[in-house]
Amino acid sequence: MAQPNIIDVELLTEHLGYAPISLLDSIINNVNAVADKTLDRVEQGLSRAPPKALGFEKALKQRKPPPGASVDVEETAKLEIIDGVHKLETLLCAAIDKNFDKYELYVMRNILGIQPSHRNWMRLAHYHGLEFDVAHEDAPTRESVDALRRKLQASQRLNVMLHAEQAKNAALLAKLRGIMGGKPAGPRASLVEVKVEGADDGAPLQFLRERGDLAEGDSKTPLTTTTAFNMSQLQALRALSTSLRNIMPDLKDPSDVEDGPEKNKSWRRERLEYVESATRKHLEHVRGLELGKDGEVRDGEWQGEGRKFAMGEVEGLERVVSALGAGSEESTEQDDPDAMDES
């Protein structure tokens, strides 16, 4: 089979509406179908003809079969016809293939071929009126297409998130309805089963649906309605209060135990205090940093009140200052003996 140029094949396919090779395939398929029908008709005609008319009896007599051997003329004729038709089919198919190869080469080169010099000057009928060099204002650009693609991806992600949130909310509503003793809403309500720990026969909050005499009250008797509501909820509140008292010891804050005496400190708190004290000593003695009460670094400027002095320390500082002041006055009088007494 010939290997045509891919550009010629694309151009002819666009012009004809189908691939050029499909035309040749249709032709060879039709030729093969006609050949098969012809062979079938030949075989049927030979099979229907009597063996005598085909000359089988005369041929068998000339062969002189061995004595004592019975010869079935019809069976022999049938085998000869099958063998002959098979040979005819082989010769016919070989002739068709050989001649069709020549026909295919001729058609692809001379009929369904395009000259290289004419290739760039061909314009199909549906190309008229198209100007590919003119830029339109509304023509999409690469940036606009990328922006639309990003918007589409963001919308798809948002859609997935919303569906997941919807499923989560539906499951939560089903659990809440189960806790309150109501049947889940929706077409699949019968498939949803909610099991709550601690509920024996009914839901733990089923009492909220038991209105009792509340349905009979109205705005004209608000005190009666309120009292009936409180009485209807009293038993359930007592049960909840009892259950809370039972679980209160297990809900004790562990921080209360750690803030107690030294003997009640946990090993975690002791280790934490040791690490903090060792780090503070290292920063103050080795690094030479001045740390505040909460561990902040002082840089010499005012950053809050410092350590408070005791009364004895303050009195000692006052005596030192007074002694230094008296010494400075005596030295001044000795340096200027002729100074006038202004008093």
Side-chain angles (χ1 to χ4, degrees), residues 84-128:
V85 172
H86 178 68
K87 292 179 180 179
L88 178 61
E89 182 181 4
T90 303
L91 294 174
L92 183 60
C93 291
I96 290 174
D97 293 339
K98 181 179 179 181
N99 292 283
F100 182 76
D101 290 339
K102 297 179 181 179
Y103 173 75
E104 183 179 2
L105 291 173
Y106 177 80
V107 170
M108 295 301 295
R109 290 180 180 178
N110 301 297
I111 300 177
L112 298 178
I114 300 175
Q115 298 296 330
S117 59
H118 300 163
R119 188 179 301 153
N120 297 329
W121 301 97
M122 295 183 64
R123 174 177 290 186
L124 301 180
H126 56 277
Y127 285 175
H128 293 291

Side-chain angles (χ1 to χ4, degrees), residues 37-55:
K37 290 181 180 179
T38 303
L39 292 172
D40 292 339
R41 295 295 177 85
V42 170
E43 185 177 2
Q44 291 176 4
L46 294 175
S47 299
R48 292 175 182 176
K52 184 177 180 180
L54 298 176

Side-chain angles (χ1 to χ4, degrees), residues 71-306:
V71 179
D72 190 356
V73 179
E74 294 183 358
E75 186 67 23
T76 304
K78 184 178 180 181
L79 295 176
E80 289 292 339
I81 290 172
I82 293 174
D83 185 53
V85 172
H86 178 68
K87 292 179 180 179
L88 178 61
E89 182 181 4
T90 303
L91 294 174
L92 183 60
C93 291
I96 290 174
D97 293 339
K98 181 179 179 181
N99 292 283
F100 182 76
D101 290 339
K102 297 179 181 179
Y103 173 75
E104 183 179 2
L105 291 173
Y106 177 80
V107 170
M108 295 301 295
R109 290 180 180 178
N110 301 297
I111 300 177
L112 298 178
I114 300 175
Q115 298 296 330
S117 59
H118 300 163
R119 188 179 301 153
N120 297 329
W121 301 97
M122 295 183 64
R123 174 177 290 186
L124 301 180
H126 56 277
Y127 285 175
H128 293 291
L130 297 179
E131 298 293 340
F132 298 100
D133 298 334
V134 179
H136 298 279
E137 296 180 357
D138 299 335
T141 60
R142 182 180 295 274
E143 291 76 9
S144 62
V145 173
D146 293 340
L148 289 176
R149 185 182 293 109
R150 288 192 295 269
K151 288 182 180 179
L152 177 60
Q153 294 174 355
S155 300
Q156 291 176 348
R157 288 195 296 268
L158 180 60
N159 188 18
V160 172
M161 294 172 60
L162 290 177
H163 278 83
E165 189 69 21
Q166 182 182 6
K168 187 187 299 183
N169 293 337
L172 181 59
L173 289 175
K175 291 182 179 180
L176 292 176
R177 292 190 184 97
I179 293 174
M180 294 185 64
K183 295 182 179 180
R188 300 183 179 179
S190 60
L191 301 179
V192 180
E193 296 181 358
V194 181
K195 296 182 179 179
V196 182
E197 296 182 359
D200 298 333
D201 297 332
L205 301 180
Q206 190 176 4
F207 63 90
L208 296 176
R209 292 182 174 273
E210 298 176 358
R211 299 181 181 180
D213 299 336
L214 296 179
E216 301 176 359
D218 53 5
S219 59
K220 296 181 180 180
T221 57
L223 183 59
T224 305
T225 304
T226 305
T227 305
F229 175 76
N230 293 334
M231 294 300 295
S232 63
Q233 307 298 322
L234 186 59
Q235 296 296 332
L237 292 176
R238 287 178 179 175
L240 291 176
S241 178
T242 304
S243 62
L244 288 176
R245 289 194 188 96
N246 295 332
I247 65 175
M248 276 296 292
D250 299 334
L251 299 178
K252 191 174 182 181
D253 190 2
S255 61
D256 298 339
V257 179
E258 295 181 357
D259 294 339
E262 294 293 334
K263 62 180 181 180
N264 295 330
K265 287 185 178 180
S266 63
W267 65 271
R268 294 180 181 274
R269 175 57 65 87
E270 293 178 356
R271 183 174 180 274
L272 179 61
E273 292 179 355
Y274 171 75
V275 171
E276 290 181 353
S277 61
T279 304
R280 187 181 185 91
K281 289 180 181 179
H282 175 77
L283 294 176
E284 290 179 347
H285 298 290
V286 179
R287 298 293 182 179
L289 299 178
E290 183 181 358
L291 302 180
K293 179 180 179 182
D294 297 330
E296 68 275 8
V297 179
R298 296 179 179 271
D299 54 0
E301 298 181 358
W302 172 256
Q303 296 181 356
E305 297 181 357

